[in-house]
Amino acid sequence: MLVITCPFCGPRSEREFAHGGAVSSSRPDPARVSDAAWVDHLTVVPNPLGPVHERWWHARGCGAWLTIWRDTRTHDIVGEPDAR
């Protein structure tokens, strides 16, 4: 089980959070990219090995959004969460 430290509520089980996905580059303008590139942006989720910058929502807690670095190899959180 992943334990995420909320800056406002302290250490909490991942069951209190909803995964918001990886922090990615900005959304492309659908009018300026090909249909294939747009479909890839919407459906292809990168699955890198190692540290990933992710967003988590404390849905069953204070409601804050956190940005964390999580290592996909070990499931460990690297560094302190950043609340935004």
Side-chain angles (χ1 to χ4, degrees):
M1 174 180 63
L2 183 64
V3 175
I4 300 173
T5 302
C6 175
F8 306 108
C9 304
R12 297 290 193 257
S13 165
E14 69 180 293
R15 291 176 288 191
E16 291 188 16
F17 293 85
H19 186 253
V23 175
S24 62
S25 60
S26 60
R27 176 182 169 148
D29 181 358
R32 295 180 181 246
V33 297
S34 69
D35 287 345
W38 181 244
V39 169
D40 282 350
H41 171 75
L42 294 175
T43 60
V44 177
V45 180
N47 191 14
L49 184 62
V52 177
H53 204 198
E54 297 178 325
R55 301 277 290 151
W56 289 80
W57 177 41
H58 198 179
R60 293 181 182 97
C62 65
W65 278 94
L66 310 175
T67 304
I68 64 171
W69 283 95
R70 182 179 62 87
D71 192 325
T72 59
R73 296 170 293 193
T74 62
H75 211 46
D76 291 335
I77 295 176
V78 183
E80 293 294 319
D82 180 23
R84 300 214 177 185

